[in-house]
Amino acid sequence: MKKSENTSSVKSIRTLVLGGRGFIGTPLIDALLDQGHAVRCFDRPNVVALGASHAANPDFELYEGDFTSEADISEALQGCDFCYHLVSTTLPKSSNADPVFDIESNLVGTIRLLALAVEAGIKKVIFVSSGGTVYGDPVELPIPETHPTDPACSYGIAKLAIEKYLGLFHRLHGLDYTVLRLANPFGEGQRTHASQGAVAVFLGKVLREEPVEIWGDGSVVRDYIHVADVVQALLISLEPSREEHVFNIGSGKGHSLNDVLDAIERITGRKAIREYRPARGFDVPVSILCIERARQALGWTPDVSFDEGLERFAAWLEENEPTSNP
């Protein structure tokens, strides 16, 4: 495993962020450093960092390696107190095409991580799960954590299985953990050319005056949460767990794909070129998360409204994507 030459200073708390170069991991690392943590970022080689604000910080280390490598993960865990698990090797829409790869890379890789975390004396693992896929078709709205789980894609099944193994390792070995079932995160730093994240993809295409593909008639409703609110939930999750370990993290409100495009048009002053395509079988019609458990048990509540988050994201893109058409 390749390790950066940056040498972390002696700190009382050292936190490992797996997948720390992503659009959630980057602001999380910044926030941890601001709180006085020594932070070790683990990610694949040659991943383009979304932000370099922490690269020169003496309390920051970069480890490059393979999540499925026992040696790489073992080395990354050494000397750490906490571990954030933000890694995923698949996407919901692609996971069904190769569920074996999904299981081998995500599920088996995480079970190996948990065994190594116990050996390394990790105090707590915080895992980012998927509130949009683990429940399947909702039988009640908004969806509470007690809702039946019936994922329609391998991605959601793997996430749910990881949650169960976290519970098992807690019972067998006392490894503390928190699972955050995220709604659909969006915000500054999210890639607009990726294949996941409707807000980012739609916003980028509108700014570039490219056609926007919509699967179905645009009535699919999702819960969108700004990345700043996600980071706050992740920070709070460092506290020792009490009775609950699994939390929905969303806005508690729903927006259809057509609503998202309407808001983008309103905020950017540009017209979306809408191209409707046949609906996809794995897209549940509505997904809105109940966030009452997080309010009561974590003291967490979202602060950034959808429109405010969209405005911030659009402003960031205008500054950081110079290829946008005038």
Side-chain angles (χ1 to χ4, degrees):
M1 177 170 62
K2 180 181 177 182
K3 176 184 175 183
S4 67
E5 295 182 359
N6 212 19
T7 302
S8 179
S9 62
V10 176
K11 287 278 185 175
S12 58
I13 301 175
R14 178 170 282 104
T15 302
L16 173 64
V17 181
L18 301 171
R21 283 170 159 173
F23 107 95
I24 295 176
T26 297
L28 172 61
I29 288 175
D30 284 337
L32 288 167
L33 289 169
D34 287 344
Q35 289 195 351
H37 290 242
V39 181
R40 183 175 295 163
C41 169
F42 179 91
D43 221 319
R44 293 173 292 124
N46 305 318
V47 173
V48 177
L50 296 177
S53 57
H54 47 247
N57 192 309
D59 295 320
F60 173 77
E61 295 175 291
L62 173 62
Y63 277 48
E64 292 183 331
D66 182 353
F67 177 66
T68 64
S69 166
E70 180 174 353
D72 287 357
I73 294 299
S74 178
E75 184 178 348
L77 286 166
Q78 297 307 308
C80 291
D81 300 291
F82 300 96
C83 175
Y84 284 98
H85 181 2
L86 312 181
V87 171
S88 180
T89 63
T90 60
L91 298 174
K93 73 175 187 178
S94 64
S95 62
N96 286 350
D98 192 352
V100 173
F101 173 75
D102 193 17
I103 294 168
E104 290 178 344
S105 57
N106 288 309
L107 179 54
V108 176
T110 299
I111 296 171
R112 184 183 299 112
L113 163 69
L114 298 181
L116 293 170
V118 171
E119 291 181 9
I122 296 294
K123 296 176 182 176
K124 187 172 187 179
V125 174
I126 300 98
F127 174 60
V128 170
S129 187
S130 171
T133 63
V134 299
Y135 296 112
D137 291 323
V139 296
E140 62 176 301
L141 290 170
I143 304 169
E145 291 85 352
T146 53
H147 187 283
T149 49
D150 189 18
C153 61
S154 180
Y155 178 91
I157 294 172
K159 290 283 191 183
L160 188 59
I162 289 170
E163 294 184 16
K164 299 300 184 182
Y165 274 103
L166 281 161
L168 178 64
F169 272 74
H170 176 64
R171 288 190 293 272
L172 294 179
H173 307 290
L175 179 63
D176 195 8
Y177 74 99
T178 288
V179 171
L180 299 185
R181 291 176 173 170
L182 299 191
N184 293 262
F186 75 97
E188 302 88 300
Q190 193 171 21
R191 294 183 175 94
T192 63
H193 292 279
S195 54
Q196 186 181 28
V199 173
V201 173
F202 287 4
L203 183 55
K205 288 189 174 183
V206 170
L207 291 175
R208 296 189 299 269
E209 298 181 2
E210 298 174 358
V212 178
E213 286 187 335
I214 304 168
W215 303 101
D217 62 4
S219 63
V220 167
V221 172
R222 292 291 180 268
D223 186 336
Y224 297 97
I225 181 77
H226 190 265
V227 64
D229 287 325
V230 173
V231 168
Q232 287 306 308
L234 287 165
L235 293 176
I236 293 171
S237 297
L238 283 172
E239 294 296 323
S241 299
R242 296 183 182 135
E243 291 184 9
E244 304 291 351
H245 292 271
V246 179
F247 300 94
N248 287 336
I249 300 297
S251 69
K253 301 176 182 178
H255 299 272
S256 72
L257 296 178
N258 288 326
D259 290 339
V260 171
L261 281 172
D262 290 344
I264 289 173
E265 289 180 335
R266 184 174 65 252
I267 286 169
T268 64
R270 306 190 187 197
K271 191 70 175 175
I273 306 169
R274 308 186 190 205
E275 294 186 353
Y276 293 90
R277 300 283 186 258
R280 302 178 299 189
F282 61 82
D283 285 327
V284 299
V286 182
S287 179
I288 304 170
L289 301 182
C290 175
I291 55 176
E292 192 57 32
R293 180 185 286 183
R295 292 183 195 275
Q296 294 185 5
L298 299 180
W300 174 89
T301 186
D303 291 326
V304 183
S305 69
F306 180 75
D307 280 3
E308 180 187 347
L310 195 55
E311 289 173 357
R312 287 162 58 167
F313 193 8
W316 185 89
L317 286 175
E318 292 280 17
E319 286 188 12
N320 292 275
E321 288 203 0
T323 55
S324 298
N325 294 328

